[in-house]
Amino acid sequence: MAEAHQAVAFQFTVTPDGVDFQLSREALKHVYLSGINSWKKRFIRIKNGILRGVYPGSPTSWLVVVMATMGSSYCNVDISMGMICHIRKYIPEGCSNYLTLQTRTLISVGIFSTGVWVTGIFLFRQTLKLLLSYHGWMFEMHGQTSRITKIWAICVRLLSNRRPMLYTFQTSLPKLPVPKVSATIKRYLESVRPLLDDEEYYRMEMLAKDFQERTAPRLQKYLVLKSWWATNYVSDWWEEYIYLRSRGPIMVNSNYYVMDFVLTPHTEVQAARLGNVVHAMIMYRRKLDREEIKPVMALGIVPMCSYQMERMFNTTRIPGKESDVLQHLVDSRHVAVYHKGRFYKVWLYQGTQLLKPRDLEMQFQRILDDTCPIQPGEEKLAALTAGGRVQWAEARQTYFNTGKNKASLEAIEKAAFFVTLDEESHGYDPEDEASLSLYGKALLHGNCYNRWFDKSFTLVAFKNGKLGLNTEHAWADAPVVGHLWEFVLATDAFHLDYNESGHCQGKPNHSLAPPQRLQWEIPEECQKIIESSYEVAKALADDVELYCFQFLPFGKGLIKKCRSSPDAFVQIALQLAHFRDKGNFCLTYEASMTRMFRDGRTETVRSCTAETTAFVRAMTDSGYMKPDLQDLFRKAAEKHQHLYRLAMTGAGIDRHLFCLYVVSKYLGLHSPFLAQVLSEPWRLSTSQTAQFQIRMFDPEKYPNHLAAGGGFGPVADDGYGVSYMIAGENTIFFHISSKFSSSETNAQRFGNHIHQALEDIAALFELPSPKPES
């Protein structure tokens, strides 16, 4: 019971002489320091709220306005046009000698100046919101910028020139517009035309026409009303119905993974690498709390919405019988750690000071050296987060609602994030083709009970010092996690360091209390539920085939020579590879972000277009000459880029139809058209991994400092999940997932088709492969 004694701040016993208090000075010291730290953070939030609220104004600018107004008054120039005198009339003289005419004039000047200052801020924000609603720049060809766009860019730069904080531009971002039903249906029919024969297309056309004329007008009114009232008409429903109401396992089906730098060596001391990286993560959290992180900017001038970053730390998905909820805490001072079937609580602070990397290394090493036995039911406990959500919710309510189990579960759910110390070694070995795939599999699901899949993210540390993340998807999308990961890896590589023996710099503080072992009392009935969840999760994990590879013949540097965006080039190659793999085309999902709008998340780009299918069919027909194929490719690439821009600017198809479907369910209306649309499977689900969102180092100077991106499970049982990262100028990483249970798919076979398709398209433009470095 040593843990219980360490947690008690004071004890008391009843004696014949009265109540005898036994105060613990050390515990009370920590209580005092925690209170001081809490008040400091509260003050910082208040200060940031004020500075953010008056941007681009500042206390200095307010003082300048006041002094200018006052100076003009002394020069007998009334710039207020009588307003100051008018305000002074309403200030009572009173019976005090202090409210003289001069004093009341000064107060009037202050009120008038503040009004002018606030009005200027309001006009600034409305002007900036109006400017940010212009998206014409996205549809202009590279090098052909119009005069309107140039003027727009100058105005945006002038209005956002002052150094902004993370959430400065949130209220200036425009709302996501609701597209017209007619435009959405037209684009939808265009997207499915290459996938349907004439009879099927005619039937869908009739369903769409009936929906547009009868049901859609009523549903659209509710959506427009919501867009006026809510900050975003999509995001809250998307989070609730797509993520939180899903009752199946989130492992593989929802969570995704992110890899470490794979081409650069790091220390092989597991605890040391983890010490540096955990320290870097809390440094990032501190910057996040203080809003010292710059907002992500498109073109360096257009701000992206930052609201998803609010729940990056101290967040857990809590299971429910009908719907899960996201629990987010303002602060958390510890991480939860799993090693060899045991759970620990590791404090990140000593008083108000963040532990140094060497101290964190010592704490993690203490866990690695711990030989205490596993408690009954403890080893596979996290399998509850990998199985069905209803089963987990019922077990949580029944067995983890009181006593030790409740306290230990709260220590996990209230942690800043979850850490796993794995016993295996993983990474990328260019000499071993399977190494990257095994690395990805380990991050995607592990052994199904050594990741806490409900945490916002689990930091996985392998025995050889390599790292990775397993991330829950409901709270944010991959680019947000990528922003954190870029900061952490760059901080570890360029700002923190290791000594010659691979340990963190400095000397450890051996007086630190050791990590707290979490205690459990798990009855046999609960152990059976845990085992049942494990069996469900293991069956799902064993069915996942993952093939990851590095494409080396060329990268975005040479792709640009064929006058195509790298993303369009890869997407067209995926369509060619899929046609060769299965002999047909399928509904294809590509994720695009809508963060140029407030609270924006994602939209779907339907990459399988009529132009792309025409190019793919031509590639399989020997009767086409190279100039004809080049022309067809450029048309397909231009169409893809146009669709991507439409999606980013709020003119996509799928989120609008999804919200119309939600409204129809609320109203109890059945739409055969919407039912058909929402039931169509995405047999090819794709996503590009964002990179270089933070310029903490020069990628040209350090070309090998590349993470390999990340991946996710297949969306359809008979489909593929493809994640890719166009890394640097000369390499592309691919992560391809499918299911062994499907006779139609094979991840490695599809990967080989992708490799060949990329080279075949490059050959059309005679793109030379880069020479290997000597």
mmCIF file of all heavy atoms in Angstrom, residues 556-591:
data_model
loop_
_atom_site.group_PDB
_atom_site.id
_atom_site.type_symbol
_atom_site.label_atom_id
_atom_site.label_comp_id
_atom_site.label_asym_id
_atom_site.label_seq_id
_atom_site.Cartn_x
_atom_site.Cartn_y
_atom_site.Cartn_z
ATOM 1 N N LYS A 556 8.573 14.260 -56.326
ATOM 2 C CA LYS A 556 7.821 15.401 -56.856
ATOM 3 C C LYS A 556 8.673 16.295 -57.747
ATOM 4 O O LYS A 556 8.140 17.009 -58.598
ATOM 5 C CB LYS A 556 7.232 16.216 -55.713
ATOM 6 C CG LYS A 556 8.240 16.924 -54.818
ATOM 7 C CD LYS A 556 7.529 17.712 -53.729
ATOM 8 C CE LYS A 556 8.525 18.424 -52.827
ATOM 9 N NZ LYS A 556 7.856 19.146 -51.720
ATOM 10 N N GLY A 557 10.000 16.252 -57.564
ATOM 11 C CA GLY A 557 10.863 17.099 -58.384
ATOM 12 C C GLY A 557 10.710 16.818 -59.858
ATOM 13 O O GLY A 557 10.607 17.733 -60.683
ATOM 14 N N LEU A 558 10.675 15.541 -60.232
ATOM 15 C CA LEU A 558 10.543 15.185 -61.641
ATOM 16 C C LEU A 558 9.089 15.159 -62.103
ATOM 17 O O LEU A 558 8.807 15.384 -63.280
ATOM 18 C CB LEU A 558 11.193 13.812 -61.882
ATOM 19 C CG LEU A 558 12.720 13.785 -61.703
ATOM 20 C CD1 LEU A 558 13.257 12.377 -61.893
ATOM 21 C CD2 LEU A 558 13.399 14.725 -62.684
ATOM 22 N N ILE A 559 8.166 14.898 -61.163
ATOM 23 C CA ILE A 559 6.750 14.885 -61.545
ATOM 24 C C ILE A 559 6.320 16.246 -62.089
ATOM 25 O O ILE A 559 5.540 16.339 -63.046
ATOM 26 C CB ILE A 559 5.878 14.484 -60.337
ATOM 27 C CG1 ILE A 559 6.087 13.002 -60.011
ATOM 28 C CG2 ILE A 559 4.404 14.761 -60.608
ATOM 29 C CD1 ILE A 559 5.355 12.549 -58.762
ATOM 30 N N LYS A 560 6.828 17.311 -61.471
ATOM 31 C CA LYS A 560 6.427 18.653 -61.893
ATOM 32 C C LYS A 560 6.817 18.952 -63.337
ATOM 33 O O LYS A 560 6.251 19.849 -63.964
ATOM 34 C CB LYS A 560 7.049 19.692 -60.964
ATOM 35 C CG LYS A 560 6.461 19.667 -59.550
ATOM 36 C CD LYS A 560 7.160 20.656 -58.634
ATOM 37 C CE LYS A 560 6.593 20.624 -57.229
ATOM 38 N NZ LYS A 560 7.319 21.532 -56.314
ATOM 39 N N LYS A 561 7.782 18.208 -63.876
ATOM 40 C CA LYS A 561 8.213 18.451 -65.249
ATOM 41 C C LYS A 561 7.153 18.048 -66.272
ATOM 42 O O LYS A 561 7.221 18.461 -67.420
ATOM 43 C CB LYS A 561 9.516 17.704 -65.525
ATOM 44 C CG LYS A 561 10.708 18.268 -64.748
ATOM 45 C CD LYS A 561 12.006 17.588 -65.138
ATOM 46 C CE LYS A 561 13.187 18.201 -64.397
ATOM 47 N NZ LYS A 561 14.475 17.553 -64.753
ATOM 48 N N CYS A 562 6.204 17.235 -65.860
ATOM 49 C CA CYS A 562 5.130 16.883 -66.799
ATOM 50 C C CYS A 562 3.925 17.800 -66.598
ATOM 51 O O CYS A 562 2.824 17.478 -67.042
ATOM 52 C CB CYS A 562 4.736 15.417 -66.658
ATOM 53 S SG CYS A 562 3.981 15.003 -65.085
ATOM 54 N N ARG A 563 4.148 18.930 -65.918
ATOM 55 C CA ARG A 563 3.130 19.968 -65.721
ATOM 56 C C ARG A 563 1.873 19.427 -65.036
ATOM 57 O O ARG A 563 0.752 19.652 -65.471
ATOM 58 C CB ARG A 563 2.772 20.636 -67.062
ATOM 59 C CG ARG A 563 3.905 21.486 -67.628
ATOM 60 C CD ARG A 563 3.476 22.191 -68.892
ATOM 61 N NE ARG A 563 3.262 21.265 -69.992
ATOM 62 C CZ ARG A 563 2.688 21.592 -71.138
ATOM 63 N NH1 ARG A 563 2.280 22.848 -71.329
ATOM 64 N NH2 ARG A 563 2.522 20.708 -72.088
ATOM 65 N N SER A 564 2.106 18.679 -63.978
ATOM 66 C CA SER A 564 1.013 18.114 -63.190
ATOM 67 C C SER A 564 1.343 18.295 -61.717
ATOM 68 O O SER A 564 2.510 18.291 -61.331
ATOM 69 C CB SER A 564 0.837 16.626 -63.501
ATOM 70 O OG SER A 564 0.035 15.995 -62.532
ATOM 71 N N SER A 565 0.315 18.438 -60.914
ATOM 72 C CA SER A 565 0.559 18.445 -59.474
ATOM 73 C C SER A 565 0.960 17.035 -59.051
ATOM 74 O O SER A 565 0.450 16.049 -59.591
ATOM 75 C CB SER A 565 -0.694 18.879 -58.714
ATOM 76 O OG SER A 565 -1.618 17.817 -58.617
ATOM 77 N N PRO A 566 1.880 16.903 -58.096
ATOM 78 C CA PRO A 566 2.282 15.570 -57.641
ATOM 79 C C PRO A 566 1.109 14.735 -57.154
ATOM 80 O O PRO A 566 1.062 13.521 -57.382
ATOM 81 C CB PRO A 566 3.271 15.871 -56.508
ATOM 82 C CG PRO A 566 3.844 17.210 -56.865
ATOM 83 C CD PRO A 566 2.708 17.969 -57.482
ATOM 84 N N ASP A 567 0.141 15.365 -56.473
ATOM 85 C CA ASP A 567 -1.006 14.613 -55.967
ATOM 86 C C ASP A 567 -1.847 14.047 -57.107
ATOM 87 O O ASP A 567 -2.275 12.887 -57.068
ATOM 88 C CB ASP A 567 -1.868 15.503 -55.080
ATOM 89 C CG ASP A 567 -3.057 14.759 -54.507
ATOM 90 O OD1 ASP A 567 -2.844 13.832 -53.702
ATOM 91 O OD2 ASP A 567 -4.192 15.090 -54.869
ATOM 92 N N ALA A 568 -2.102 14.861 -58.131
ATOM 93 C CA ALA A 568 -2.874 14.371 -59.278
ATOM 94 C C ALA A 568 -2.136 13.238 -59.984
ATOM 95 O O ALA A 568 -2.753 12.252 -60.407
ATOM 96 C CB ALA A 568 -3.132 15.528 -60.252
ATOM 97 N N PHE A 569 -0.825 13.359 -60.106
ATOM 98 C CA PHE A 569 -0.003 12.322 -60.741
ATOM 99 C C PHE A 569 -0.188 10.987 -60.013
ATOM 100 O O PHE A 569 -0.439 9.948 -60.642
ATOM 101 C CB PHE A 569 1.467 12.748 -60.705
ATOM 102 C CG PHE A 569 2.385 11.896 -61.517
ATOM 103 C CD1 PHE A 569 2.780 12.276 -62.792
ATOM 104 C CD2 PHE A 569 2.881 10.699 -61.020
ATOM 105 C CE1 PHE A 569 3.644 11.490 -63.548
ATOM 106 C CE2 PHE A 569 3.744 9.904 -61.751
ATOM 107 C CZ PHE A 569 4.122 10.298 -63.026
ATOM 108 N N VAL A 570 -0.084 11.013 -58.686
ATOM 109 C CA VAL A 570 -0.211 9.776 -57.910
ATOM 110 C C VAL A 570 -1.634 9.235 -57.976
ATOM 111 O O VAL A 570 -1.845 8.021 -58.116
ATOM 112 C CB VAL A 570 0.217 10.020 -56.444
ATOM 113 C CG1 VAL A 570 -0.058 8.785 -55.586
ATOM 114 C CG2 VAL A 570 1.689 10.383 -56.371
ATOM 115 N N GLN A 571 -2.624 10.106 -57.897
ATOM 116 C CA GLN A 571 -4.011 9.642 -57.932
ATOM 117 C C GLN A 571 -4.355 8.973 -59.264
ATOM 118 O O GLN A 571 -5.055 7.962 -59.297
ATOM 119 C CB GLN A 571 -4.959 10.813 -57.677
ATOM 120 C CG GLN A 571 -5.032 11.248 -56.228
ATOM 121 C CD GLN A 571 -5.721 10.229 -55.341
ATOM 122 O OE1 GLN A 571 -6.615 9.497 -55.778
ATOM 123 N NE2 GLN A 571 -5.312 10.176 -54.079
ATOM 124 N N ILE A 572 -3.861 9.514 -60.354
ATOM 125 C CA ILE A 572 -4.100 8.889 -61.664
ATOM 126 C C ILE A 572 -3.374 7.550 -61.743
ATOM 127 O O ILE A 572 -3.899 6.573 -62.283
ATOM 128 C CB ILE A 572 -3.671 9.835 -62.794
ATOM 129 C CG1 ILE A 572 -4.552 11.095 -62.791
ATOM 130 C CG2 ILE A 572 -3.747 9.143 -64.148
ATOM 131 C CD1 ILE A 572 -4.052 12.197 -63.693
ATOM 132 N N ALA A 573 -2.173 7.493 -61.179
ATOM 133 C CA ALA A 573 -1.434 6.225 -61.136
ATOM 134 C C ALA A 573 -2.190 5.188 -60.317
ATOM 135 O O ALA A 573 -2.200 3.993 -60.666
ATOM 136 C CB ALA A 573 -0.041 6.446 -60.557
ATOM 137 N N LEU A 574 -2.844 5.610 -59.246
ATOM 138 C CA LEU A 574 -3.636 4.683 -58.435
ATOM 139 C C LEU A 574 -4.811 4.113 -59.232
ATOM 140 O O LEU A 574 -5.155 2.930 -59.108
ATOM 141 C CB LEU A 574 -4.152 5.386 -57.175
ATOM 142 C CG LEU A 574 -3.114 5.758 -56.113
ATOM 143 C CD1 LEU A 574 -3.776 6.515 -54.969
ATOM 144 C CD2 LEU A 574 -2.413 4.522 -55.584
ATOM 145 N N GLN A 575 -5.433 4.945 -60.062
ATOM 146 C CA GLN A 575 -6.536 4.458 -60.890
ATOM 147 C C GLN A 575 -6.033 3.448 -61.930
ATOM 148 O O GLN A 575 -6.676 2.420 -62.170
ATOM 149 C CB GLN A 575 -7.230 5.628 -61.586
ATOM 150 C CG GLN A 575 -7.982 6.552 -60.658
ATOM 151 C CD GLN A 575 -9.097 5.850 -59.905
ATOM 152 O OE1 GLN A 575 -9.818 5.017 -60.459
ATOM 153 N NE2 GLN A 575 -9.231 6.177 -58.622
ATOM 154 N N LEU A 576 -4.892 3.733 -62.523
ATOM 155 C CA LEU A 576 -4.309 2.803 -63.492
ATOM 156 C C LEU A 576 -3.941 1.492 -62.799
ATOM 157 O O LEU A 576 -4.208 0.395 -63.325
ATOM 158 C CB LEU A 576 -3.072 3.436 -64.135
ATOM 159 C CG LEU A 576 -2.288 2.577 -65.137
ATOM 160 C CD1 LEU A 576 -3.177 2.105 -66.277
ATOM 161 C CD2 LEU A 576 -1.083 3.345 -65.665
ATOM 162 N N ALA A 577 -3.356 1.583 -61.611
ATOM 163 C CA ALA A 577 -2.973 0.383 -60.864
ATOM 164 C C ALA A 577 -4.201 -0.426 -60.465
ATOM 165 O O ALA A 577 -4.191 -1.663 -60.546
ATOM 166 C CB ALA A 577 -2.177 0.787 -59.617
ATOM 167 N N HIS A 578 -5.260 0.236 -60.040
ATOM 168 C CA HIS A 578 -6.475 -0.472 -59.630
ATOM 169 C C HIS A 578 -7.130 -1.181 -60.802
ATOM 170 O O HIS A 578 -7.623 -2.311 -60.675
ATOM 171 C CB HIS A 578 -7.464 0.510 -58.987
ATOM 172 C CG HIS A 578 -8.660 -0.162 -58.376
ATOM 173 N ND1 HIS A 578 -9.786 -0.472 -59.100
ATOM 174 C CD2 HIS A 578 -8.887 -0.602 -57.102
ATOM 175 C CE1 HIS A 578 -10.671 -1.057 -58.309
ATOM 176 N NE2 HIS A 578 -10.142 -1.147 -57.098
ATOM 177 N N PHE A 579 -7.132 -0.530 -61.962
ATOM 178 C CA PHE A 579 -7.730 -1.168 -63.155
ATOM 179 C C PHE A 579 -6.933 -2.408 -63.550
ATOM 180 O O PHE A 579 -7.506 -3.435 -63.917
ATOM 181 C CB PHE A 579 -7.759 -0.158 -64.306
ATOM 182 C CG PHE A 579 -8.522 -0.641 -65.497
ATOM 183 C CD1 PHE A 579 -9.908 -0.613 -65.517
ATOM 184 C CD2 PHE A 579 -7.864 -1.128 -66.620
ATOM 185 C CE1 PHE A 579 -10.625 -1.063 -66.613
ATOM 186 C CE2 PHE A 579 -8.564 -1.579 -67.722
ATOM 187 C CZ PHE A 579 -9.951 -1.548 -67.726
ATOM 188 N N ARG A 580 -5.626 -2.332 -63.458
ATOM 189 C CA ARG A 580 -4.796 -3.497 -63.761
ATOM 190 C C ARG A 580 -4.958 -4.579 -62.705
ATOM 191 O O ARG A 580 -4.853 -5.769 -63.001
ATOM 192 C CB ARG A 580 -3.326 -3.078 -63.857
ATOM 193 C CG ARG A 580 -2.996 -2.262 -65.098
ATOM 194 C CD ARG A 580 -1.581 -1.697 -65.026
ATOM 195 N NE ARG A 580 -1.186 -1.055 -66.287
ATOM 196 C CZ ARG A 580 -0.060 -0.369 -66.455
ATOM 197 N NH1 ARG A 580 0.784 -0.226 -65.421
ATOM 198 N NH2 ARG A 580 0.234 0.176 -67.624
ATOM 199 N N ASP A 581 -5.221 -4.165 -61.470
ATOM 200 C CA ASP A 581 -5.335 -5.119 -60.372
ATOM 201 C C ASP A 581 -6.667 -5.858 -60.391
ATOM 202 O O ASP A 581 -6.712 -7.073 -60.183
ATOM 203 C CB ASP A 581 -5.192 -4.379 -59.035
ATOM 204 C CG ASP A 581 -5.169 -5.307 -57.837
ATOM 205 O OD1 ASP A 581 -4.110 -5.913 -57.591
ATOM 206 O OD2 ASP A 581 -6.208 -5.434 -57.160
ATOM 207 N N LYS A 582 -7.769 -5.126 -60.632
ATOM 208 C CA LYS A 582 -9.095 -5.735 -60.541
ATOM 209 C C LYS A 582 -9.847 -5.786 -61.869
ATOM 210 O O LYS A 582 -10.886 -6.448 -61.968
ATOM 211 C CB LYS A 582 -9.957 -4.969 -59.527
ATOM 212 C CG LYS A 582 -9.572 -5.228 -58.076
ATOM 213 C CD LYS A 582 -10.644 -4.640 -57.167
ATOM 214 C CE LYS A 582 -10.412 -4.989 -55.717
ATOM 215 N NZ LYS A 582 -11.492 -4.496 -54.847
ATOM 216 N N GLY A 583 -9.345 -5.045 -62.852
ATOM 217 C CA GLY A 583 -10.028 -5.055 -64.144
ATOM 218 C C GLY A 583 -11.244 -4.157 -64.204
ATOM 219 O O GLY A 583 -12.044 -4.261 -65.150
ATOM 220 N N ASN A 584 -11.434 -3.288 -63.225
ATOM 221 C CA ASN A 584 -12.575 -2.366 -63.235
ATOM 222 C C ASN A 584 -12.225 -1.103 -62.461
ATOM 223 O O ASN A 584 -11.152 -0.985 -61.868
ATOM 224 C CB ASN A 584 -13.823 -3.034 -62.641
ATOM 225 C CG ASN A 584 -13.583 -3.530 -61.216
ATOM 226 O OD1 ASN A 584 -12.887 -2.911 -60.430
ATOM 227 N ND2 ASN A 584 -14.180 -4.673 -60.889
ATOM 228 N N PHE A 585 -13.166 -0.161 -62.478
ATOM 229 C CA PHE A 585 -13.014 1.070 -61.709
ATOM 230 C C PHE A 585 -13.938 1.015 -60.495
ATOM 231 O O PHE A 585 -14.900 0.236 -60.475
ATOM 232 C CB PHE A 585 -13.358 2.291 -62.574
ATOM 233 C CG PHE A 585 -12.454 2.458 -63.758
ATOM 234 C CD1 PHE A 585 -12.874 2.098 -65.035
ATOM 235 C CD2 PHE A 585 -11.182 2.976 -63.605
ATOM 236 C CE1 PHE A 585 -12.051 2.250 -66.139
ATOM 237 C CE2 PHE A 585 -10.342 3.132 -64.700
ATOM 238 C CZ PHE A 585 -10.772 2.764 -65.968
ATOM 239 N N CYS A 586 -13.646 1.825 -59.506
ATOM 240 C CA CYS A 586 -14.475 1.826 -58.300
ATOM 241 C C CYS A 586 -14.575 3.232 -57.739
ATOM 242 O O CYS A 586 -13.789 4.122 -58.082
ATOM 243 C CB CYS A 586 -13.898 0.878 -57.246
ATOM 244 S SG CYS A 586 -12.358 1.451 -56.508
ATOM 245 N N LEU A 587 -15.548 3.413 -56.862
ATOM 246 C CA LEU A 587 -15.716 4.685 -56.179
ATOM 247 C C LEU A 587 -14.480 4.944 -55.320
ATOM 248 O O LEU A 587 -14.107 4.119 -54.491
ATOM 249 C CB LEU A 587 -16.965 4.629 -55.307
ATOM 250 C CG LEU A 587 -17.543 5.957 -54.813
ATOM 251 C CD1 LEU A 587 -17.949 6.848 -55.976
ATOM 252 C CD2 LEU A 587 -18.737 5.701 -53.904
ATOM 253 N N THR A 588 -13.838 6.078 -55.548
ATOM 254 C CA THR A 588 -12.558 6.364 -54.897
ATOM 255 C C THR A 588 -12.674 7.581 -53.997
ATOM 256 O O THR A 588 -13.205 8.619 -54.397
ATOM 257 C CB THR A 588 -11.457 6.602 -55.947
ATOM 258 O OG1 THR A 588 -11.392 5.476 -56.815
ATOM 259 C CG2 THR A 588 -10.111 6.816 -55.280
ATOM 260 N N TYR A 589 -12.162 7.416 -52.780
ATOM 261 C CA TYR A 589 -12.202 8.466 -51.763
ATOM 262 C C TYR A 589 -10.797 9.044 -51.597
ATOM 263 O O TYR A 589 -9.850 8.312 -51.337
ATOM 264 C CB TYR A 589 -12.673 7.858 -50.439
ATOM 265 C CG TYR A 589 -12.819 8.815 -49.271
ATOM 266 C CD1 TYR A 589 -14.078 9.136 -48.784
ATOM 267 C CD2 TYR A 589 -11.717 9.365 -48.625
ATOM 268 C CE1 TYR A 589 -14.229 9.980 -47.698
ATOM 269 C CE2 TYR A 589 -11.858 10.223 -47.545
ATOM 270 C CZ TYR A 589 -13.115 10.529 -47.084
ATOM 271 O OH TYR A 589 -13.266 11.369 -46.014
ATOM 272 N N GLU A 590 -10.669 10.348 -51.759
ATOM 273 C CA GLU A 590 -9.437 11.034 -51.387
ATOM 274 C C GLU A 590 -9.788 12.138 -50.410
ATOM 275 O O GLU A 590 -10.677 12.946 -50.674
ATOM 276 C CB GLU A 590 -8.712 11.632 -52.597
ATOM 277 C CG GLU A 590 -7.397 12.292 -52.189
ATOM 278 C CD GLU A 590 -6.718 13.086 -53.289
ATOM 279 O OE1 GLU A 590 -7.287 13.211 -54.380
ATOM 280 O OE2 GLU A 590 -5.607 13.596 -53.037
ATOM 281 N N ALA A 591 -9.095 12.169 -49.286
ATOM 282 C CA ALA A 591 -9.384 13.172 -48.262
ATOM 283 C C ALA A 591 -8.774 14.516 -48.636
ATOM 284 O O ALA A 591 -7.620 14.601 -49.028
ATOM 285 C CB ALA A 591 -8.842 12.711 -46.915
#
